[in-house]
Amino acid sequence: MTRDSSRPAKAQRHLTIVIKLGTSSIVSESTHQPLLAILSSIVETVVKLRQDGHRVVLVSSGAIGVGMRRMGVKDRGKTLAGVQALAAIGQGRLIALWDQLFTQLEQPIAQVLLTRGEVSDRTRYLNACNTLAELLSMGVVPIVNENDTVSVSEIKFGDNDTLSAITAAMIHADYLFLMTDVDCLYTANPRKDPAAQPVPVVSDVALIRQSVSVKSSGSALGTGGMETKLIAAELASGAGVTTVITNSKTPASISSIIAYNLLHPPDAPAGDASRPLHTVFLPKPNPLADRKWWILHGLHSAGTIVVDEGAHRALSRRESGGRLLPAGVLAVQGTFAQQQAVTIVVRRRGGEHADRLRRSASELMAVPTPGEYTPDQVPGTPSGTPAASAMALQHRMAALGTASAVSAEREGEDLEADGEWEEVEVGKGLSNYNSWEIDKVKGLKSSQIEGVLGYADSEHVAGNITLRILA
Ligand SMILES: N[C@@H](CCC(=O)OP(=O)(O)O)C(=O)O
């Protein structure tokens, strides 16, 4: 099973498009009845896009809402098993509804249910990528949802915004459309703040998170909100995908948004009356290669390798090739096997750094532009996100394995625990030895590995490291 990691140049006219519909776009919040007008309009739009030669994937929430309607219950209940049961009841009906609607226009569909477990396992991930690619080449519209029935916290995406960004990366999509109940991203919640202004173009998602207030928590049934959309946009942007936020009530605008963005440069003057209302998040100019993106965002870390500042500096140089020598390793945390993903943490003196770091755990959250982490690219400079960006967000990003969020959390704790030294997460990689072996050879020269272990599989203890540079 192989997958070409190069990104083929795509003819602009034949795009790969992921369209994500949240629960609030699929079922009524009060009655949980399916919103047939929106669903039908989406179907017509998707079929039109297919006729224009585009390849389309839908990411559809709504299983739990449809299950609630079927069972006549008013809320999701409190137990995990109860929610999973509702999802199991609803998912079949949801896909049947999509199939009925698409069948009217003779468009075949497929159901694809994923959990983070599939994404974390390289073989299953590649199988899912290959299946999606095959379905698209067969002219089918895959309809993706989280496999809620088996999804528990460790393997849960939790919100379909994140799932849609991962899906978009898996299929090298050109566009990810996050359809929602507002027209675009605003500088504040437009329902509460009359001064809220639309944000038309975002070239740096990390920066925009500093300047807009996105504390809305999403709909009554869904789990996402504007925060998770920004996280999704950031993940997608790092994979080279253009993300659009627009209103799910007007799906037909998807085609006009694509047409507008093909014809107008992103820096076209604001106030163009012909511009459909939407926010476009531009892709990173240097997206991460497939494997690095997957290591950073797909993999769960099985443990931690703590390195000194010298090793961190060495890793940040292009010549290191993202490979870590044993000499700079200070400690190993957790139990992991060879070739499992590990978090790289640098231990450094608090001192003059400490105040600044305490002041702004959030600054570290602001670096998470994945393309800026790699040793073979110019390091980015932290730019800051409001600390109030909330534990929930950090928690979610930590669950994603997003380096910066974990750092922010970790730093807060470590600085409290130890005024002198701090440990800062700086990257992720794949271990070349298991945790026990790395513990044995830590601090040694590579030439000593064989003497200690009796064998030397590699002179480096970890490789494929995607790193960020600290200020
Ligand atoms: N997988 C769940 C939806 C998860 C969720 O809440 O997503 P969203 O409505 O996009 O925030 C379902 O089908 O009900």
Side-chain angles (χ1 to χ4, degrees), residues 105-281:
L105 299 179
E106 283 150 34
Q107 172 60 54
I109 63 158
Q111 170 178 263
V112 177
L113 298 177
L114 296 172
T115 66
R116 182 160 277 286
E118 275 78 59
V119 172
S120 296
D121 179 289
R122 186 75 182 157
T123 306
R124 284 192 280 160
Y125 176 77
L126 291 176
N127 272 325
C129 292
N130 290 342
T131 304
L132 285 167
E134 188 65 23
L135 287 167
L136 290 173
S137 69
M138 290 164 77
V140 171
V141 173
I143 301 186
V144 180
N145 195 2
E146 177 148 21
N147 192 355
D148 293 301
T149 309
V150 297
S151 200
V152 291
S153 56
E154 310 83 61
I155 56 163
K156 207 167 172 51
F157 296 108
D159 65 87
N160 277 5
D161 295 320
T162 303
L163 173 61
S164 67
I166 289 177
T167 305
M170 287 169 88
I171 58 169
H172 296 157
D174 299 283
Y175 277 95
L176 165 61
F177 279 84
L178 299 172
M179 311 298 289
T180 184
D181 51 3
V182 288
D183 292 319
C184 61
L185 174 68
Y186 286 86
T187 50
N189 185 341
R191 294 191 183 106
K192 295 190 179 145
D193 183 350
Q197 293 296 317
V199 179
V201 181
V202 176
S203 53
D204 185 332
V205 192
L207 271 181
I208 202 74
R209 293 219 321 257
Q210 280 183 277
S211 50
V212 300
S213 165
V214 289
K215 292 303 296 166
S216 76
S217 59
S219 67
L221 288 178
T223 49
M226 210 36 99
E227 278 186 344
T228 57
K229 288 183 178 49
L230 294 191
I231 294 171
E234 194 161 354
L235 293 184
S237 162
V241 180
T242 300
T243 304
V244 172
I245 292 180
T246 193
N247 201 318
S248 61
K249 292 197 184 71
T250 52
S253 63
I254 292 174
S255 298
S256 35
I257 291 170
I258 291 172
Y260 184 90
N261 283 291
L262 285 177
L263 289 176
H264 296 79
D267 52 357
D272 176 354
S274 70
R275 187 183 193 278
L277 206 44
H278 68 284
T279 299
V280 61
F281 298 80

Side-chain angles (χ1 to χ4, degrees), residues 20-24 60-65 76 91 145-146 148 158-161 221-224:
K20 185 262 166 177
L21 286 160
T23 307
S24 64
S60 168
S61 308
I64 297 167
R76 301 159 54 118
Q91 180 62 34
N145 195 2
E146 177 148 21
D148 293 301
D159 65 87
N160 277 5
D161 295 320
L221 288 178
T223 49

